[in-house]
Amino acid sequence: MNWKRFKKERISLNYTIMLLPHSQKKPIHFKTPVWTFGLIFLGLFILSGACLFFAGSRVQLKEVQQERDQLELEWQQLAAQKELADQENENLKQAREAQEQELKALEARTKDTIKELENLVERENQIREELGLQDVPETADTDDTSGLQATGAGVPLTSVPSISRTERNLSFQAIQTELSSLQNSLDEMSGQYEHYLAAIEEKKEAEAAARAAEAAEKERRENLRKSIVNSALQYVGNAYVYGGNDPNTGVDCSGFTRYILSHIAGVYLSRTAASQSAQGQSVSADEARPGDLVFYSSGGHVDHVAIYMGDGRIVHASNARTGIITSDMYYRTPVKIVNVLGD
């Protein structure tokens, strides 16, 4: 076959375009190669695919943005709850300090009251010693001088003081009045002392209750940390999957810590190990407790996180080859240890 004929019949296609089909004008007639038509079709196909791809990407980006907004809202709520809990703890601390100061003041007042009671008792004893005058036998209705003359033969009258019965009665009544006043003061002080003792006992009971509550809270926190470790150990042997979020089907290191802390302790963690290292409070290796997070870096960038078990051991989603395992905390050099539980 002739090449020109082949090119004319097989490679080029003839097209006729009628711009005005009902007019008397001559229609437009042109030829185009087959490959030009193929390029146009391929271009349309690529453009359609790109449009579909970008449309799908936009939907996914919108979903990711919504999830991010939801996570930020949850984080703000948790931060507000944490701030409220910190404020309550500070108020409790201040109330406890105020109770301690009040208790010290009550103890000081009690000591003063006891000292006053001792002084009153001593004064009462002195008055009772002075009341020996009431033991003097009463004579007849005559004055003391005649009685002394009758019983004290040979005693000069000028050597015996003359004290009438009326004077003795007045003196005795004055002493009785003073004694009654002192007795009333003693009873009042005794009532105040008993009130102080009751207040002290009440404060001691309140302190004991506060210590018991504090001990119960401490025990609850320790049990929570044990639960975190025990829950993490249940998944030892499961698969490592990069980007995974569920240790039952496969999870990476940060997804593992995020899953355990959220399900057991209700603590929200960010998605990556680097962002998790910025949460919580840093502690030293000596202060580390079960449930804390241990971070490792490579090239100055945090790239791995594990859960501290205690006794220098960790549990973590290591890599795709080993999965979730336990290791010595110093299998790599830790760069940071963080307490995210806030206790």
Side-chain angles (χ1 to χ4, degrees), residues 108-223:
R109 293 174 63 183
T110 301
K111 291 180 180 178
D112 294 340
T113 303
I114 292 174
K115 187 175 181 180
E116 292 179 2
L117 288 174
E118 292 176 351
N119 294 334
L120 287 174
V121 171
E122 183 178 359
R123 177 59 180 161
E124 182 183 10
N125 292 333
Q126 291 176 357
I127 293 173
R128 291 186 182 278
E129 290 179 359
E130 294 176 359
L131 287 179
L133 293 174
Q134 66 183 354
D135 296 334
V136 177
E138 294 185 356
T139 59
D141 291 338
T142 60
D143 57 21
D144 290 344
T145 55
S146 61
L148 290 174
Q149 291 175 352
T151 57
V155 179
L157 294 176
T158 56
S159 63
V160 179
S162 177
I163 302 176
S164 66
R165 175 181 295 180
T166 302
E167 292 175 345
R168 291 201 310 271
N169 289 338
L170 291 175
S171 177
F172 180 76
Q173 290 175 359
I175 293 173
Q176 286 284 21
T177 301
E178 184 178 0
L179 180 61
S180 177
S181 176
L182 291 174
Q183 186 65 42
N184 291 335
S185 298
L186 181 62
D187 293 340
E188 182 179 358
M189 290 296 180
S190 298
Q192 293 180 359
Y193 177 69
E194 292 177 356
H195 174 72
Y196 293 152
L197 288 180
I200 291 173
E201 290 297 327
E202 183 178 353
K203 293 295 182 182
K204 289 182 178 179
E205 291 177 357
E207 282 194 349
R211 287 194 296 269
E214 184 177 355
E217 177 64 15
K218 182 178 180 181
E219 183 179 1
R220 186 190 69 82
R221 295 250 179 206
E222 293 300 325
N223 292 334

Side-chain angles (χ1 to χ4, degrees), residues 194-341:
E194 292 177 356
H195 174 72
Y196 293 152
L197 288 180
I200 291 173
E201 290 297 327
E202 183 178 353
K203 293 295 182 182
K204 289 182 178 179
E205 291 177 357
E207 282 194 349
R211 287 194 296 269
E214 184 177 355
E217 177 64 15
K218 182 178 180 181
E219 183 179 1
R220 186 190 69 82
R221 295 250 179 206
E222 293 300 325
N223 292 334
L224 176 62
R225 289 179 172 273
K226 293 178 182 178
S227 298
I228 291 173
V229 174
N230 292 334
S231 177
L233 291 175
Q234 292 178 359
Y235 299 102
V236 171
N238 286 14
Y240 175 98
V241 175
Y242 180 77
N245 293 298
D246 189 345
N248 293 294
T249 58
V251 68
D252 58 12
C253 63
S254 57
F256 182 57
T257 56
R258 187 169 185 252
Y259 180 91
I260 296 299
L261 267 297
S262 63
H263 282 72
I264 303 303
V267 175
Y268 170 78
L269 294 177
S270 300
R271 182 59 187 85
T272 65
S275 57
Q276 289 180 10
S277 66
Q279 298 180 235
Q281 182 179 3
S282 297
V283 297
S284 64
D286 295 334
E287 297 172 335
R289 290 183 291 169
D292 289 342
L293 300 183
V294 183
F295 294 91
Y296 303 87
S297 68
S298 176
H301 176 72
V302 174
D303 60 355
H304 191 64
V305 59
I307 298 175
Y308 185 65
M309 298 168 50
D311 298 328
R313 302 286 297 175
I314 58 173
V315 55
H316 58 133
S318 179
N319 52 53
R321 180 175 58 85
T322 58
I324 300 176
I325 60 173
T326 62
S327 306
D328 185 272
M329 184 175 70
Y330 295 99
Y331 86 105
R332 289 171 59 186
T333 302
V335 296
K336 192 174 185 182
I337 303 175
V338 171
N339 174 6
V340 295
L341 297 177

Side-chain angles (χ1 to χ4, degrees), residues 3-159:
W3 166 252
K4 292 183 179 181
R5 183 179 178 184
F6 175 79
K7 180 179 179 182
K8 181 179 180 182
E9 295 180 355
R10 300 298 179 88
I11 298 180
S12 299
L13 297 176
N14 295 326
Y15 292 93
T16 300
I17 298 178
M18 296 293 293
L19 297 177
L20 299 172
H22 300 288
S23 66
Q24 301 298 325
K25 294 183 179 181
K26 185 179 180 179
I28 299 174
H29 180 77
F30 63 93
K31 295 182 179 181
T32 181
V34 175
W35 59 269
T36 303
F37 178 79
L39 287 177
I40 294 173
F41 178 79
L42 181 60
L44 292 174
F45 179 77
I46 293 174
L47 180 61
S48 300
C51 292
L52 292 175
F53 174 77
F54 285 114
S57 299
R58 185 177 181 182
V59 172
Q60 292 180 352
L61 287 175
K62 186 176 180 180
E63 293 177 353
V64 170
Q65 182 65 32
Q66 291 177 352
E67 183 179 359
R68 179 183 176 184
D69 294 341
Q70 181 66 23
L71 292 177
E72 289 180 353
L73 179 61
E74 293 178 358
W75 169 250
Q76 292 176 358
Q77 292 175 352
L78 290 173
Q81 293 177 0
K82 182 179 183 298
E83 184 178 357
L84 181 61
D86 292 340
Q87 184 63 33
E88 291 179 353
N89 290 334
E90 183 65 23
N91 293 337
L92 289 174
K93 183 179 179 181
Q94 293 177 358
R96 181 178 178 184
E97 292 177 354
Q99 288 179 353
E100 291 178 352
Q101 293 178 357
E102 186 177 354
L103 181 60
K104 290 180 180 178
L106 285 174
E107 290 178 350
R109 293 174 63 183
T110 301
K111 291 180 180 178
D112 294 340
T113 303
I114 292 174
K115 187 175 181 180
E116 292 179 2
L117 288 174
E118 292 176 351
N119 294 334
L120 287 174
V121 171
E122 183 178 359
R123 177 59 180 161
E124 182 183 10
N125 292 333
Q126 291 176 357
I127 293 173
R128 291 186 182 278
E129 290 179 359
E130 294 176 359
L131 287 179
L133 293 174
Q134 66 183 354
D135 296 334
V136 177
E138 294 185 356
T139 59
D141 291 338
T142 60
D143 57 21
D144 290 344
T145 55
S146 61
L148 290 174
Q149 291 175 352
T151 57
V155 179
L157 294 176
T158 56
S159 63

